[in-house]
Amino acid sequence: PMPKQAHNILPTAASVFPTDNLEALSVKPPPTGLITAESNPFRPDSEGLGQTTVSWLAHGTSKVEVRVNAPDGPLLARHGPGRYPQPTGQWVRDGTTFYLQNVSKGLPLTAENTIATVTLRSM
């Protein structure tokens, strides 16, 4: 039989995290996402215009916008996080670029808030 320990034989150590120095921290991953176009390349008409369906997936945001040809270009769509498709009309051209922008909490339409891009090519 083993004797029971009646008292601690090691001295008490200072706390690694003194309670008066603790602060709440939360770690949020940066927004992520992707944007694609189907079909890409697209088949243009005689004027070089075509159509496609832009699809995107966004995570870690509360609101995103899809902009055309620049981070602050014309608005194609506005949604919350998740996966969405949006067909275009017969107006896209070779080189048209779609920008998936994080606009959560009023973020500005800048390159720093661009999550992903896709550029269209014609056949």
Side-chain angles (χ1 to χ4, degrees), residues 25 30 36 39 44 54 76-78 89 91:
L25 296 177
T36 62
S39 62
V54 179
L76 177 70
R78 178 182 293 131
W91 53 264

Side-chain angles (χ1 to χ4, degrees), residues 42-91:
F42 67 94
R43 186 174 306 280
D45 63 15
S46 61
E47 296 178 9
L49 302 175
Q51 63 184 19
T52 189
T53 298
V54 179
S55 298
W56 64 94
L57 171 66
H59 178 71
T61 66
S62 62
K63 189 189 302 182
V64 294
E65 293 179 353
V66 177
R67 297 286 177 151
V68 182
N69 287 329
D72 61 348
L75 177 67
L76 177 70
R78 178 182 293 131
H79 283 284
R83 183 183 314 209
Y84 299 93
Q86 177 71 44
T88 68
Q90 186 79 13
W91 53 264

Side-chain angles (χ1 to χ4, degrees), residues 102-123:
N102 179 13
V103 293
S104 302
K105 298 181 182 177
L107 288 172
L109 296 168
T110 61
E112 292 79 21
N113 295 320
T114 301
I115 298 171
T117 64
V118 61
T119 300
L120 296 178
R121 297 291 171 222
S122 62
M123 294 181 156

